Amino acid sequence: MVELGELEKRHEDFATRQVRVVVISNDDRETASATQSDFPHLVVVADVEQSLAKAVAVIHAGAGRNWKDTNAPTTFLVDGTGYVRWIFRPGRFTERLSPDELLAATDATWPAK
């Protein structure tokens, strides 16, 4: 959850760009709610049944606890109309984008107004 803390710290940089950071988790609703409390400037969505993860094809089969399927770390930049403008999926499960990398991708995808 270190990466969520880093994103939370930079919430003003995202807000300036009119960007909301949405985190999709396959945790139960109680855990997702606790995460939301810890990171109030992020939007935390509980996807317990992995319906959203399956719909956007980000399931990493057998990579979770007890060899269960889990969500692969994937970043989508989606515009206000729902169009996916950019996707990042790292080669390693432990990799995450830094806030600076995500902000740079945002700036490259949506030029400043």
Side-chain angles (χ1 to χ4, degrees):
M1 287 226 239
V2 170
E3 63 275 3
L4 297 184
E6 296 300 314
L7 291 167
E8 177 71 22
K9 288 178 193 174
R10 301 290 298 275
H11 71 89
E12 290 180 10
D13 294 323
F14 290 103
T16 298
R17 291 165 173 82
Q18 299 180 347
V19 170
R20 286 188 295 178
V21 177
V22 179
V23 179
I24 309 299
S25 169
N26 60 344
D27 291 329
D28 60 48
R29 286 177 176 77
E30 184 178 314
T31 303
S33 180
T35 301
Q36 180 66 74
S37 295
D38 291 340
F39 307 105
H41 296 97
L42 308 180
V43 178
V44 180
V45 177
D47 187 26
V48 180
E49 302 297 321
Q50 295 179 306
S51 302
L52 181 57
K54 289 173 185 171
V56 296
V58 296
I59 297 294
H60 191 158
R65 288 188 191 123
N66 299 318
W67 307 108
K68 291 186 177 185
D69 295 348
T70 191
N71 299 355
T74 308
T75 303
F76 294 88
L77 292 179
V78 183
D79 69 17
T81 67
Y83 183 79
V84 177
R85 295 189 168 264
W86 186 82
I87 299 172
F88 173 78
R89 185 162 178 179
R92 293 178 37 187
F93 192 80
T94 57
E95 286 182 49
R96 302 291 192 277
L97 287 173
S98 71
D100 285 335
E101 291 168 322
L102 184 52
L103 288 164
T106 300
D107 292 343
T109 303
W110 287 284
K113 295 179 182 181

